[in-house]
Amino acid sequence: MDEITDAADRRFAALPGRPGKIVAIHLSYASRADQRGRRPQHPSYFFKPSSSVAASGETIERPAGTELLAFEGEIALVIGTPARRVRLADAWDHVAWVTAANDFGLYDLRENDKGSNVRSKGGDGYTPLGPSLIDARTIDPDALRVRTWLNRELAQDDTARGMIFPLAQLVADLSQHFTLETGDVILTGTPAGSSVAQPGDVVEVEVDVPGGPSSGRLVTTVVQGSAAFDAELGSLPAVDDLQRSEAWGSREAAGLPPAASPESGDLTEAGRSAADSPAWATSPVLGDALRAKLEAVPVAGLSAQLRRRGLNNVHVDGVRPLHPEAKLVGTARTLRFVPNREDLFASHGGGYNAQKRVFDAVGDGEVVVIEARGEAGSGTLGDILAIRAHARGAAGIVTDGGVRDAAAVAAVGIPVYSSGAHPAVLGRKHVPWDADITIACGGTTVQPGDIIVGDADGVVVIPPAIAEEIVDAALAQEDEDAWIADRVAEGHPVDGLFPMNAEWRAKYDAREEGRA
């Protein structure tokens, strides 16, 4: 059988041949890292199949049932001579050519890939390259520029000087682990500005040295596919607000409402990944002084002050503590479960799901608050997740569902409030759906960043904007109640004393003035 030659395959028209390897980097530009709210200490990589290569002028399908096909304009390096354990100073000598690349990704498939990007970035046509090669020997790699246009409007514009890791470092680093062979391609990451392309959109990428050589414009048109994924074969596409905001570049660009922060009502995109806490996690709204006061006041006292201000629906009902002696104080990190439906559990319940992402990302002093609809017929966490939260410095966990392995969870030592113990696993009743959104837990609304306080009486939710006012009033009331209790212990009747009439109020005020 005659073998089809690379020269006859239009996909590789811009390359010296079919690449044996395509290696791509996750985060490399400072602008993109800042947009994502996390800056890596070292480069990390994934592979793309050579079957994903496409030539300029071709189309890319957005698969049926998906919405988040994102473009990423990048500088592509083509290896000219094999590189194995090369020094940084010599690494660029092994690069023969530079060209433009578009590292397309389908965020609908990203959740279950766990960072490998096999399906989300490995599809046919997902790696357009070209249209022309730049001789790497004739340029300063730091001078290279990458620009991307979406429907003729500039979307990305950055240079190699904006990279966290220099181009030569990527070559040298990869050569430590395996041989970079002639024709291999390295995709060097994308700057800020990557976003979603819709069917009918035209995406163009150009790499050049300003005033010097250029790759020309790499042109790709997005079309709508008709073939659907088969649930019998593998997990189905699934998106949530996290994937939407990262695919589009921000919640605003994705058309999502701002996620409330304690101070401004706007939640930045910084840290919106499984490895990072949200921007409000380090907010000064719950500083050491406020935390100490909240720890000193019983929940009953806080509840009374909230009621005086018209807030009657701030109690997480139906939950009891595994450690009644422990005080819980922290800011809310929210997680939402929906009722189990087998097809949805197949797409959302496995892999690195919303539940696992939250427990991996919960920050110091935060409380994981779980909406389980008051359904106690299965566990919503077990000892492994409790250990993870404890190791991350979380202040506690509140769920209006059940706890599995309750004795083991209690042994971890982290404050946990739940509707009770249940031996069944999550999938009996729940699908982990999304996180860091407004939820309902125990009959009350909880927003990310709300202040959560719990003791043996239960759990209360305090809006951050009035937390200082509430706790100061509660402390004052505690002092007053203690004084009244002393008078009752002395034998005075409660009539006129609790609450205090004018006579007793005058005595109390005189006592307070004497203190001053």
Side-chain angles (χ1 to χ4, degrees):
M1 182 174 65
D2 292 335
E3 185 177 68
I4 298 175
T5 64
D6 293 339
D9 195 328
R10 172 172 164 73
R11 293 177 296 174
F12 312 112
L15 301 174
R18 182 172 187 148
K21 294 187 289 295
I22 303 171
V23 190
I25 186 171
H26 285 106
L27 274 177
S28 62
Y29 280 84
S31 60
R32 174 78 157 180
D34 292 345
Q35 186 181 43
R36 288 288 177 88
R38 60 186 188 274
R39 186 169 292 208
Q41 184 178 1
H42 305 290
S44 63
Y45 310 94
F46 58 94
F47 284 107
K48 300 191 75 172
S50 59
S51 57
S52 69
V53 173
S56 183
E58 296 296 311
T59 61
I60 180 173
E61 282 192 3
R62 187 183 74 175
T66 67
E67 63 176 87
L68 301 178
L69 179 65
F71 62 83
E72 296 182 4
E74 304 196 8
I75 299 168
L77 311 182
V78 183
I79 298 299
T81 57
R84 178 62 169 144
R85 296 193 179 96
V86 299
R87 298 185 307 153
L88 179 60
D90 301 325
W92 190 252
D93 294 339
H94 294 266
V95 179
W97 303 281
V98 176
T99 193
N102 199 332
D103 182 18
F104 277 103
L106 189 64
Y107 280 68
D108 308 62
L109 296 176
R110 192 172 75 154
E111 178 177 327
N112 287 334
D113 269 355
K114 299 181 181 178
S116 71
N117 294 332
V118 170
R119 295 167 301 170
S120 61
K121 284 180 173 280
D124 291 353
Y126 279 41
T127 315
L129 293 165
S132 300
L133 298 174
I134 300 171
D135 188 341
R137 296 168 299 180
T138 65
I139 60 168
D140 173 5
D142 287 341
L144 285 167
R145 173 177 63 176
V146 59
R147 291 178 293 172
T148 307
W149 293 263
L150 178 64
N151 299 324
R152 297 287 180 174
E153 292 189 8
L154 187 65
Q156 294 180 286
D157 187 356
D158 212 332
T159 71
R161 290 189 178 89
M163 297 180 71
I164 303 169
F165 313 108
L167 293 171
Q169 180 182 341
L170 305 182
V171 177
D173 182 28
L174 289 169
S175 78
Q176 295 185 101
H177 304 286
F178 46 77
T179 300
L180 293 169
E181 299 172 314
T182 301
D184 285 350
V185 174
I186 302 174
L187 305 183
T188 61
T190 198
S194 165
S195 191
V196 171
Q198 308 282 2
D201 286 347
V202 177
V203 186
E204 300 172 275
V205 184
E206 181 183 10
V207 169
D208 70 343
V209 174
S214 169
S215 68
R217 290 204 183 184
L218 173 66
V219 182
T220 307
T221 302
V222 180
V223 298
Q224 180 61 55
S226 58
F229 293 100
D230 187 344
E232 297 293 324
L233 301 178
S235 60
L236 296 175
V239 297
D240 55 23
D241 286 353
L242 170 63
Q243 303 298 351
R244 290 188 179 97
S245 64
E246 291 209 341
W248 283 93
S250 68
R251 292 183 65 87
E252 180 181 9
L256 298 171
S261 75
E263 295 179 329
S264 67
D266 295 323
L267 182 63
T268 71
E269 287 306 312
R272 274 292 184 214
S273 74
D276 294 86
S277 297
W280 41 259
T282 56
S283 168
V285 68
L286 191 53
D288 291 343
L290 177 56
R291 183 183 296 275
K293 288 192 285 186
L294 288 166
E295 289 174 346
V297 179
V299 165
L302 296 170
S303 174
Q305 296 304 318
L306 288 163
R307 180 175 172 79
R308 287 184 180 180
R309 288 154 181 81
L311 294 173
N312 293 305
N313 298 297
V314 290
H315 307 90
V316 181
D317 292 334
V319 300
R320 303 303 301 167
L322 293 183
H323 294 283
E325 75 287 353
K327 188 68 177 284
L328 170 66
V329 177
T331 51
R333 190 73 183 265
T334 60
L335 171 62
R336 178 181 173 228
F337 293 152
V338 297
N340 186 34
R341 205 177 85 186
E342 287 75 8
D343 61 324
L344 296 179
F345 194 86
S347 63
H348 284 70
Y352 199 48
N353 59 36
Q355 180 196 45
K356 293 176 183 176
R357 293 199 302 271
V358 166
F359 278 87
D360 260 352
V362 64
D364 186 42
E366 291 181 334
V367 179
V368 177
V369 183
I370 302 173
E371 174 184 340
R373 311 172 314 284
E375 173 56 72
S378 75
T380 54
L381 75 146
D383 59 326
I384 297 299
L385 294 181
I387 290 169
R388 181 58 175 155
H390 193 40
R392 293 279 300 174
I397 303 165
V398 177
T399 174
D400 61 356
V403 170
R404 188 167 180 263
D405 296 324
V409 171
V412 173
I414 187 172
V416 175
Y417 289 74
S418 77
S419 62
H422 199 284
V425 296
L426 180 73
R428 181 171 185 262
K429 293 290 185 179
H430 305 293
V431 181
W433 195 253
D434 48 15
D436 298 325
I437 59 169
T438 300
I439 64 168
C441 181
T444 193
T445 300
V446 182
Q447 292 192 298
D450 279 347
I451 294 175
I452 309 298
V453 184
D455 61 17
D457 280 350
V459 178
V460 70
V461 181
I462 304 176
I466 62 171
E468 287 280 3
E469 174 190 346
I470 292 294
V471 72
D472 286 345
L475 284 169
Q477 186 64 55
E478 284 295 303
D479 284 345
E480 183 175 310
D481 288 349
W483 188 82
I484 292 173
D486 288 342
R487 305 292 78 76
V488 173
E490 291 169 355
H492 295 285
V494 295
D495 184 31
L497 179 57
F498 184 63
M500 288 187 284
N501 58 22
E503 179 184 356
W504 279 111
R505 175 63 62 183
K507 293 178 180 179
Y508 179 77
D509 290 343
R511 172 256 194 186
E512 288 295 298
E513 290 172 5
R515 275 185 173 183

